[in-house]
Structures are given as structure tokens and as C-alpha cells.
Amino acid sequence: MKLILLGPPGAGKGTQAKMLTEKFNIPQISTGDILRAAVKDGTAMGLKAKAFMDAGGLVPDEVVVGIVRDRLLEADCDNGFILDGFPRTVAQADALQVSLQTMGKELDRVISLDVDAEALVERLTGRRTCKVCGRGYHVKFDPPGKAGICDACGGDLFQRDDDREETIRKRLQVYADQTAPLISYYRDAGALMELDGMQPIPQVQEKMLSLLQAN
Ligand code: AP5
Ligand code: MG
Ligand code: ZN
């Protein structure tokens, strides 16, 4: 299964991708996670990306296109992958097509998660993530058993630097301007499936699985 999860910040791409990786045994490729790891490690790429990310803008296309191209060549992608947060511009989508063609691969599905703007702000301001294993939580919608501690591994939970309300609003605007056009891009390509992302996490997952297994 070669899948793109498309949707605004906070739509639930990461949450759903983590469940799908277990179900289908294919990797989640989150450009956001890869970039945050590079920032944390202080690599040249991380240093370049940080200012864009802190401002809620997009990292330049050539940087992320290179990251994804290299990642798709790794052996664990042979049976499929879930792209989470990539592509985010038409130029990235075009570059992905070229990379896949070169590898003799083709996308199976693009699932677009649709969520209201105000719900997105509430999801992002309440998001917490495990420092150790990366599992995501929400203080209200998906709280850990013990506040601030990961159920899965006992690690501390943290709040992302870009999950402040002002930066969130900027990210939503950037999504509307630069990423939303990909909905019609993939609709025109006949690959798009649209999913109502407003329901609770388990229901969204159920619907997603039935879409993926339908045909
Ligand atoms: P990235 O990390 O991709 O952030 P994003 O797109 O803003 O998306 P999020 O991770 O915020 O949202 P999500 O949809 O994964 O939501 P989640 O599942 O966590 O990118 C960060 C930055 O990196 C970008 O701003 C940019 O600078 C750079 N970048 C990354 N990729 C790039 C690219 N391709 N090109 C250029 N720059 C790039 O859910 C959110 C919260 O809601 C959680 O707390 C969760 O528990 C909760 N939740 C999830 N589903 C539900 C539900 N159904 N009901 C209630 N709560 C829910
Ligand atoms: Mg995410
Ligand atoms: Zn953990």
C-alpha cells in the first residue's frame, strides 16, 4: 500500500498513520518528524529548517523533496509506505511523481482528512507527544493515564514549539494557500478519497480502514 495522508495541521495524519503502520506493516514517512529530528541533532539540514518551522512556514521544496526521495529508496519501503505531511506544494507533488516513476512505483491512494479550523486549533493546542517513543496524545481527546507520562513507555510528554496559537494560525493559512490545491490535484488524477476527520479517533480509523480495504 502506497499512501498519502493529506490534511491540515492537526487533522490527525500522524495519529492515523501510526495506526496504519501497525496494521499494514509499512513505514510512516513524516517529513515533519524527520525535520524535527534533524533540528534536535543540530545537523546542517536541521539548522536550515528550524527558522521556517518556528515561523510556521514551509521548508524549501528542494530540502524535503531530497529527504523523501532518499527515504523511499530504503528497503522497508519495498512493500509500501504512508507519506504524512508530504507533499505540501504542487512542486513537491510533481517531484514525487518523478521519483516514484524512476523507482517503477505508483501511488495507490491519497486520503484527504477534512476538519474544521476551530477544531484544528483545539487539537493542536492540546497535543502532547512522547519524547521517547513519539506516541501522540491529547489532553482532552486522548489523554494518557497519568498526566505528562506516556502510557506506552513511561517517557515524558512534551508540547511542540510550533503548537502555539499564533503559529498554528500561520500554519493553517500556509496550508490553505499552498497545500489545499493538492486536493484538486489528486482528485483530477483520480487518486483522491475524502474522509470526514471530525469524528473521534477510533471512528476515523475505522472509516479509513474500510476505505482502504474497499477496492
Ligand atoms: P508537520 O509535523 O507535518 O506538522 P503539520 O502538518 O502541521 O501536522 P501536524 O503534525 O501538526 O498534524 P497531524 O495531522 O499529524 O495531527 P496529529 O495526528 O498529531 O510539519 C511541521 C513543520 O515542518 C511544518 O510547519 C513545516 O515547517 C515543516 N514541514 C513538514 N513537512 C514539510 C513539507 N513537506 N514541506 C515543507 N515543510 C514541511 O493530531 C493532532 C492532535 O489532535 C493530537 O493531539 C491528537 O491526539 C488529536 N487528534 C487526532 N485525531 C483526532 C480526532 N479524530 N479527534 C480528536 N482529536 C484528535
Ligand atoms: Mg503530524
Ligand atoms: Zn512513549
Side-chain angles (χ1 to χ4, degrees):
M1 169 110 40
K2 295 178 276 308
L3 177 68
I4 292 176
L5 290 184
L6 193 63
K13 303 180 296 294
T15 303
Q16 296 297 329
K18 287 210 161 56
M19 296 176 179
L20 295 176
T21 53
E22 284 172 24
K23 184 97 190 154
F24 295 102
N25 197 25
I26 49 176
Q28 169 196 13
I29 303 176
S30 160
T31 40
D33 286 350
I34 294 169
L35 290 166
R36 275 185 293 280
V39 170
K40 198 167 153 232
D41 293 345
T43 67
M45 183 178 74
L47 290 174
K48 189 169 177 195
K50 189 176 186 316
F52 296 103
M53 297 172 77
D54 285 347
L58 294 183
V59 173
D61 287 335
E62 62 272 18
V63 175
V64 284
V65 163
I67 291 175
V68 172
R69 194 180 41 224
D70 291 349
R71 183 64 187 84
L72 287 174
L73 287 169
E74 288 180 36
D76 63 341
C77 294
D78 284 353
N79 294 325
F81 49 79
I82 304 157
L83 285 168
D84 156 11
F86 180 95
R88 264 171 140 97
T89 63
V90 169
Q92 290 179 21
D94 287 339
L96 175 65
Q97 274 318 108
V98 173
S99 297
L100 289 174
Q101 244 159 32
T102 314
M103 296 173 205
K105 292 182 175 177
E106 212 178 315
L107 283 174
D108 296 309
R109 298 265 190 289
V110 179
I111 295 189
S112 163
L113 279 168
D114 191 29
V115 177
D116 298 348
E118 282 318 304
L120 294 172
V121 175
E122 192 182 11
R123 286 185 188 186
L124 292 172
T125 49
R127 171 166 56 191
R128 300 292 182 273
T129 309
C130 176
K131 266 185 191 159
V132 180
C133 74
R135 215 209 110 159
Y137 294 88
H138 190 281
V139 292
K140 181 168 154 193
F141 303 125
D142 187 17
K146 193 169 165 221
I149 304 290
C150 178
D151 292 342
C153 78
D156 287 333
L157 304 187
F158 75 99
Q159 188 167 16
R160 263 170 54 176
D161 288 343
D162 60 350
D163 279 347
R164 275 182 252 105
E165 183 151 355
E166 199 189 294
T167 317
I168 290 171
R169 301 260 175 216
K170 174 75 199 300
R171 285 158 61 205
L172 294 177
Q173 191 56 50
V174 168
Y175 175 82
D177 294 342
Q178 302 200 49
T179 309
L182 292 180
I183 295 175
S184 47
Y185 178 103
Y186 285 116
R187 187 185 290 124
D188 293 347
L192 191 78
M193 292 178 139
E194 288 176 275
L195 184 54
D196 175 13
M198 285 296 285
Q199 292 155 322
I201 295 169
Q203 272 89 313
V204 174
Q205 193 201 12
E206 217 173 279
K207 281 218 169 152
M208 193 172 282
L209 286 176
S210 63
L211 274 184
L212 291 174
Q213 286 160 349
N215 37 51

